[in-house]
Amino acid sequence: MIAAVLFDLDDTLVDQGAAERAAVVQWAARLGVDGGDVPGRWARVSERHYERYQRREIGFSAQRRERVREFLGAALSDAETDGLFAGYLELYEAGWALFPDAVPALRRARDAGLVAAVFTNGEEGQQRRKLELLGLLPEVDLMVASSTLPAGKPDPRAFRRAVELVGVEAPAALMVGDSLGKDVLGARAAGLEAVLLDRGGVHAEVGVPRVRSLDELDFAALRTKVPPPVVGGGTFVSDRGWPAGGVG
């Protein structure tokens, strides 16, 4: 029986991707940066250095500085990169917005008697600010940020510590997130149940429980029995016995 739901934050509850894309386009234009596919290039640079941070190879501030240096192709001092990143960050934070299905899903989980937690790979201070600005603090029971843990998702240590903080055993926790590797496969490797949020429908062939919207998650069923957590039928049955992939 599931007792707690761990929701990823960025691109699960919050449309982080849209905020990032809009911010970097404006920021790059101010700096006179063009060269085509600015959002894609920034995303690739950001992912590379943020993963280094998640492995604790570099610090949080250092990954920001390395992103700026690589994106601009310039040997800049820490002070210079900090100043430049601050301009991007202002635009990025101004673009934060919730997905329409976020708050209803959190409320349904809690109404079903489940603990509703946020488990994010973000930095604790920034992610708490995000919850506060978007009005999510009253909607969740707690937040676990990987910046306070020995490693980030998908490291099993991160999941084990997260469920410990939530107060449940791993098999009684369900991870819901948009990343197949970090959220779903990482959670399953640590003994949690997991559902992939595939808003764009790009993972139709993967062998894991999958939904296109948080609206499809049936938390009342989770509380009383092992799923299905997906509203509606599905033709694929995962190795854990959950219908998945039925939303096409």
Side-chain angles (χ1 to χ4, degrees):
M1 184 175 71
I2 298 298
V5 184
L6 281 62
F7 292 89
D8 175 54
L9 184 58
D10 291 328
D11 291 321
T12 296
L13 300 176
V14 176
D15 192 354
Q16 185 270 343
E20 179 182 72
R21 290 189 293 272
V24 75
V25 167
Q26 296 179 65
W27 179 65
R30 291 178 183 178
L31 299 176
V33 175
D34 194 354
D37 193 24
V38 164
R41 191 154 56 87
W42 176 250
R44 290 188 292 274
V45 168
S46 297
E47 181 73 9
R48 179 159 50 253
H49 293 294
Y50 203 79
E51 286 187 354
R52 293 176 63 202
Y53 162 65
Q54 290 299 333
R55 296 191 297 267
R56 303 300 184 256
E57 296 173 4
I58 58 176
F60 186 71
S61 295
Q63 61 85 21
R64 287 180 165 181
R65 292 165 183 154
E66 291 305 310
R67 287 158 64 187
V68 172
R69 290 182 180 118
E70 183 175 342
F71 181 75
L72 298 179
L76 302 167
S77 69
D78 287 355
E80 288 171 323
T81 57
D82 289 347
L84 289 167
F85 193 89
Y88 163 76
L89 186 61
E90 181 180 9
L91 295 167
Y92 171 58
E93 291 186 352
W96 287 344
L98 295 173
F99 285 108
D101 56 4
V103 170
L106 292 168
R107 290 179 178 174
R108 288 200 319 278
R110 296 175 92 183
D111 288 346
L114 304 172
V115 175
V118 167
F119 182 27
T120 170
N121 258 359
E123 191 274 330
E124 184 179 38
Q126 183 180 57
Q127 299 298 68
R128 190 166 298 280
R129 172 175 167 79
K130 193 176 293 180
L131 294 181
E132 181 178 6
L133 290 177
L134 295 176
L136 283 183
L137 280 178
E139 305 292 347
V140 301
D141 295 300
L142 74 160
M143 181 190 78
V144 179
S146 70
S147 63
T148 66
L149 308 178
K153 298 178 288 185
D155 193 302
R157 293 174 296 171
F159 287 98
R160 285 195 286 265
R161 180 56 177 156
V163 295
E164 182 181 346
L165 291 170
V166 171
V168 300
E169 298 294 328
L174 172 72
M175 180 74 212
V176 178
D178 68 291
S179 172
L180 175 62
K182 294 174 185 174
D183 294 321
V184 176
L185 299 183
R188 286 160 65 95
L192 288 73
E193 303 289 356
V195 172
L196 176 66
L197 176 60
D198 184 18
R199 293 188 185 276
V202 299
H203 293 295
E205 304 305 319
V206 300
V208 299
R210 182 182 68 96
V211 295
R212 294 286 297 272
S213 166
L214 296 176
D215 290 337
E216 298 168 42
L217 293 170
D218 183 353
F219 296 112
L222 286 172
R223 181 62 178 166
T224 57
K225 60 183 178 180
V226 174
V230 181
V231 176
T235 57
F236 174 80
V237 178
S238 75
D239 61 358
R240 300 199 180 194
W242 293 11
V247 294

